[in-house]
Amino acid sequence: MKGKGIRFREVPFDPSIKGTPTPPVTGFPPFRGGPYATMYVSQPWTIRQYAGFSTAEESNAFYKKNLAAGQRGLSVAFDLATHRGYDSDHPRVRGDVGKAGVAMDSVEDMKILFDGIPLHKMSVSMTMNGAVIPILAFFIVCAEEQGVPSEQLTGTIQNDILKEFLVRNTYIYPPAASMRLVTDIFKYSSARLPRFNSISVSGYHMLEAGAPPPLELAFTLADGYEYLQYGIKAGLHIDEFAPRFSFFFGIGMDGLREIAKLRAARILWARLVKAAGSEAPRSQVLRTHCQTSGWSLTQQDPFNNIARTALEALAATWGGTQSLHTNSLDEAVSLPTAATSAIARETQLFLQKEAGLCHWPDPVGGSIHIESLTDEMVDESWKIIKEVLSLGGMTRAIQDGYPKKRIEEAAALKQARIDSGEEKIIGLNLYPPDQELEIPVLQIDHEEVLQIQLKKLETLKKNRSQSRVRQALQHLSKACRDEKENILERAIEAARNRATLGEISSAIEKVFGRYHAPAGGLSKIYAAHSMNNRYFKKACKLVLDFEKKFGRRPRILIAKMGQDGHDRGARIIASGFADLGFDVDMGPLFQTPAETARHAMENDVHFIGVSSLAGAHQALIPELIGLLKEKGRDDIAVIAGGIIPDTDARALFDKGVLAVFGPGTNLAKAAVELMKLSLRG
């Protein structure tokens, strides 16, 4: 099998897996029961809460409080402007600065972020993929200036760009160029960062995008196998860099299958690494971080989310995770507050200190049901992995659209099952509360954060040597053209001279270009599974009534504005509304309000449905409405959907939004409400 310029090893099927269960032993290949012999008996999992918001100063204070309260590792969330390689002063990111993570424009921000936190003692995980080169460069220079050599740094950089092309979409450069950045990080890490994980292969975002456990597992391991092949192609021996691989899985509410998923992951990864040429057992160990599902949380009865998170955390630990993030009860509504973050963190402390989970290496090992589920998971996922390899590997499969199509179909099917009541969710379509509870939410003063970052950038550029920055950026662009040079090494030079994240990203973009994903088609899954949805037929009738009244079917533009790439909700809405009879335009990702308004007017739509998950709606939707009014098209109704707190919803109504639909909304019911509002008007 051949990928683009890469020959893939044929991975043999091991019949001993099927029908002959591997002994559930911890610490020995294929590590079914856990990667270490004693597991939590000698070392509990690391409580690693993913956090970051506003400015580096605010996040630093938050980290210090969490560390004092029992957290043992830092997991940094960056804002979307940073993820997409833009400085805070770029016009495309005005609504995103500091909203869903911490703004990070230069090494000076990184130094503030870790001020008073000794990096030679603290394990730091950074979720970064698109702008991975400048972020890792800033971190290394920050440590240097703390007096910590890179050889002493411990932690993980996510560096998993394939997942971005699959589901999360915070990419910058085209796939082939992005893989060059990944392998340059492998090379640098092998030589200079011996204790630092050079990649965290992520399935979490696949779970959140709708992938069921076997699909999440298969695509995650296929991504990992692809990275192995690229590392080998780059001249590294597999046993030099494979031990620094780590993984990141999401944990949903199907607890027993989630336990089996983690056990199966270790079996399959050991098989794949061995097939790729590894001779060292330590290379075959799958070590993983886990995070409880954000998608499983409900807005309608948020205090139930504490129980959901606890159950998912239990599954992660019984599955053998090495570190864990537990989501807060309010994350279906907004960023977590300090109070809800404390509840989430203490959930893990209860499991470690009071529930006795650290007394046994593998408490579920040997259970007939768990072992049977593990074998089933191995078989199901292995079939999917072989399909990916038959296409030429994951990069080729992504280019062909195969994994994205499988995930989107699964997401649409799940939404249809929930909307029809076939799948029950307490508080949503089973035992709904008499009234929705309004809980306090974290509010970020976006304008204040933006002004702080703009001032920092102005001061930085005033005090640095412009000629040195220019020269360092030229060296960086040259390294991108020459595969004998290491791009990360040149970015570190630029960071030392105080080049900004946007400048480093632009120097790389000059050579590689910026990637724009092709528009994908819409599935017909929702209609096929909505016969039991009492709102479905009603919505279809109202669409026909609309057509009779206005002479054409209702036309809607589904828009993603700002730098949020999570498009599960947007694509499900687009597919579902198309099945209900709407004419649907699916707008490209990362649009500005001006681009969205122009798209809507050119296509003469009746509605714009704006999907928002990251808080930028507060700035971007009012701007969109204002632009439509300026152009005399305030007849185009704007609808908002996604994670929008009640306080934000009220403000949006005041600005002229027609309707706001939060998480868990029945899609067909939303269409009914929308048609009634339109026909009434």
Side-chain angles (χ1 to χ4, degrees):
M1 291 167 288
K2 292 183 179 180
K4 200 168 183 179
I6 295 178
R7 180 175 293 278
F8 288 87
R9 291 174 180 266
E10 179 68 43
V11 183
F13 181 79
D14 182 357
S16 66
I17 296 295
K18 189 173 183 179
T20 308
T22 310
V25 177
T26 60
F28 296 92
F31 310 101
R32 184 185 188 105
Y36 306 114
T38 57
M39 288 300 291
Y40 307 143
V41 175
S42 58
Q43 179 65 50
W45 69 89
T46 302
I47 300 172
R48 187 187 294 278
Q49 293 297 96
Y50 179 59
F53 57 90
S54 184
T55 62
E57 290 87 347
E58 290 282 337
S59 293
N60 174 263
F62 186 74
Y63 292 161
K64 286 177 177 176
K65 287 179 184 176
N66 284 359
L67 292 171
Q71 188 172 315
R72 289 293 172 262
L74 292 178
S75 198
V76 183
F78 298 100
D79 73 0
L80 290 167
T82 301
H83 275 285
R84 295 272 292 144
Y86 295 116
D87 287 336
S88 297
D89 59 0
H90 196 284
R92 297 197 74 89
V93 300
R94 180 173 177 81
D96 292 295
V97 176
K99 291 298 292 185
V102 59
M104 190 61 46
D105 290 324
S106 74
V107 72
E108 293 299 322
D109 283 328
M110 190 71 78
K111 289 174 69 176
I112 294 167
L113 187 68
F114 294 113
D115 181 48
I117 299 173
L119 292 177
H120 63 294
K121 296 180 180 179
M122 183 59 57
S123 175
V124 176
S125 172
M126 292 180 287
T127 298
M128 180 52 64
N129 303 285
V132 64
I133 289 289
I135 286 296
L136 188 52
F138 291 167
F139 181 68
I140 290 167
V141 174
C142 171
E144 281 178 3
E145 296 184 8
Q146 266 196 16
V148 180
S150 58
E151 289 77 10
Q152 292 184 19
L153 293 173
T154 60
T156 303
I157 186 76
Q158 193 164 92
N159 194 27
D160 176 10
I161 199 62
L162 291 176
K163 167 262 294 166
E164 299 297 330
F165 294 112
L166 257 176
V167 288
R168 191 164 175 255
N169 299 312
T170 51
Y171 43 70
I172 302 174
Y173 316 108
S178 297
M179 292 299 282
R180 163 81 191 283
L181 304 182
V182 170
T183 53
D184 273 13
I185 289 171
F186 288 170
K187 290 177 185 177
Y188 187 92
S189 300
S190 293
R192 303 291 299 277
L193 295 165
R195 301 173 62 198
F196 201 82
N197 297 325
S198 55
I199 192 167
S200 174
V201 189
S202 174
Y204 177 82
H205 301 93
M206 298 181 204
L207 174 88
E208 294 294 276
L215 209 58
E216 177 199 357
L217 175 56
F219 288 160
T220 304
L221 296 187
D223 278 353
Y225 187 70
E226 185 92 339
Y227 292 126
L228 288 179
Q229 297 296 327
Y230 270 85
I232 292 166
K233 183 196 174 192
L236 294 169
H237 189 279
I238 187 169
D239 291 325
E240 290 177 342
F241 70 98
R244 298 265 57 86
F245 273 43
S246 68
F247 288 79
F248 174 25
F249 288 103
I251 304 295
M253 283 296 290
D254 193 348
L256 297 182
R257 291 228 302 165
E258 295 293 355
I259 294 169
K261 180 178 75 181
L262 297 184
R263 296 166 73 82
R266 291 190 289 269
I267 295 168
L268 289 171
W269 184 243
R271 183 193 298 179
L272 286 165
V273 176
K274 193 172 181 180
S278 169
E279 297 176 355
R282 69 192 183 98
S283 300
Q284 299 163 29
V285 175
L286 182 145
R287 296 163 299 110
T288 189
H289 171 72
C290 288
Q291 181 172 339
T292 60
S293 173
W295 189 86
S296 69
L297 306 179
T298 64
Q299 179 185 27
Q300 286 72 15
D301 198 349
F303 289 105
N304 285 345
N305 294 334
I306 299 173
R308 289 189 175 96
T309 294
L311 291 169
E312 291 169 350
L314 185 63
T317 54
W318 274 358
T321 189
Q322 277 59 74
S323 63
L324 180 62
H325 167 96
T326 34
N327 283 335
S328 300
L329 67 94
D330 49 357
E331 289 191 51
V333 182
S334 70
L335 287 171
T337 64
T340 60
S341 295
I343 293 170
R345 181 182 61 250
E346 286 160 9
T347 298
Q348 294 195 54
L349 291 173
F350 293 143
L351 293 177
Q352 284 189 354
K353 307 297 183 184
E354 297 187 28
L357 298 191
C358 298
H359 295 165
W360 301 96
D362 182 17
V364 298
S367 158
I368 293 174
H369 188 53
I370 292 294
E371 302 302 352
S372 175
L373 284 174
T374 300
D375 291 335
E376 288 175 14
M377 192 73 66
V378 167
D379 290 345
E380 285 183 66
S381 296
W382 184 245
K383 288 175 185 175
I384 300 167
I385 291 170
K386 292 190 78 174
E387 285 181 42
V388 171
L389 295 180
S390 72
L391 293 170
M394 201 58 165
T395 304
R396 187 62 176 271
I398 288 170
Q399 290 169 344
D400 291 345
Y402 165 73
K404 197 172 187 70
K405 181 173 182 288
R406 290 286 305 268
I407 292 173
E408 287 180 359
E409 287 176 350
L413 173 59
K414 189 172 185 71
Q415 187 66 45
R417 286 166 55 88
I418 293 169
D419 286 357
S420 68
E422 186 178 347
E423 186 165 330
K424 305 296 185 186
I425 297 178
I426 293 171
L428 184 65
N429 60 10
L430 182 67
Y431 310 127
D434 295 332
Q435 59 183 31
E436 289 188 19
L437 296 172
E438 188 169 332
I439 57 175
V441 297
L442 180 67
Q443 294 288 347
I444 303 294
D445 188 333
H446 163 258
E447 281 299 325
E448 182 182 358
V449 175
L450 180 61
Q451 292 308 313
I452 289 170
Q453 292 304 118
L454 294 179
K455 183 65 177 176
K456 285 183 186 176
L457 281 166
E458 182 184 352
T459 302
L460 176 86
K461 292 177 181 180
K462 190 181 296 182
N463 294 331
R464 69 186 185 180
S465 167
Q466 302 298 341
S467 61
R468 287 184 181 178
V469 171
R470 187 164 51 250
Q471 185 178 49
L473 293 173
Q474 288 170 352
H475 289 165
L476 177 56
S477 294
K478 180 176 177 290
C480 294
R481 298 185 187 95
D482 184 356
E483 292 203 3
K484 293 179 182 177
E485 291 220 40
N486 189 286
I487 295 171
L488 175 58
E489 198 165 332
R490 290 302 188 184
I492 292 169
E493 174 193 341
R496 288 191 185 112
N497 285 292
R498 281 0 188 216
T500 68
L501 177 130
E503 290 169 336
I504 292 172
S505 298
S506 293
I508 299 171
E509 186 182 339
K510 282 180 183 176
V511 181
F512 292 152
R514 184 171 278 267
Y515 181 70
H516 300 281
L522 303 177
S523 71
K524 293 290 182 181
I525 300 291
Y526 187 84
H529 294 85
S530 294
M531 294 305 102
N532 295 326
N533 184 344
R534 63 193 175 97
Y535 294 105
F536 188 82
K537 290 181 181 178
K538 191 173 184 179
C540 290
K541 180 185 179 302
L542 288 170
V543 167
L544 291 175
D545 292 344
F546 184 100
E547 185 176 4
K548 288 176 185 175
K549 180 175 180 178
F550 296 104
R552 62 188 178 110
R553 295 194 295 178
R555 190 175 190 93
I556 185 169
L557 168 63
I558 305 299
K560 288 287 296 181
M561 295 192 297
Q563 300 305 305
D564 172 35
H566 293 91
D567 61 352
R568 172 181 181 162
R571 296 199 66 81
I572 287 175
I573 292 164
S575 296
F577 273 45
D579 287 352
L580 289 164
F582 282 70
D583 286 328
V584 177
D585 294 305
M586 186 72 199
L589 293 169
F590 315 124
Q591 294 291 85
T592 64
E595 289 165 342
T596 299
R598 184 166 61 250
H599 188 162
M601 290 185 290
E602 287 172 354
N603 288 276
D604 195 22
V605 303
H606 300 100
F607 311 99
I608 303 173
V610 180
S611 174
S612 175
L613 297 177
H617 53 263
Q618 294 167 299
L620 300 180
I621 292 179
E623 185 178 342
L624 171 65
I625 292 171
L627 288 167
L628 292 171
K629 285 181 179 177
E630 282 179 21
K631 300 293 183 180
R633 289 306 311 269
D634 52 354
D635 59 308
I636 299 176
V638 177
I639 308 143
I643 298 179
I644 300 175
D646 288 341
T647 51
D648 289 6
R650 288 192 288 269
L652 291 175
F653 283 129
D654 291 342
K655 295 291 184 179
V657 166
L658 177 66
V660 176
F661 299 110
T665 297
N666 185 307
L667 194 152
K669 184 179 179 182
V672 168
E673 292 179 21
L674 185 57
M675 288 294 91
K676 284 182 175 179
L677 287 169
S678 302
L679 291 166
R680 192 182 306 145

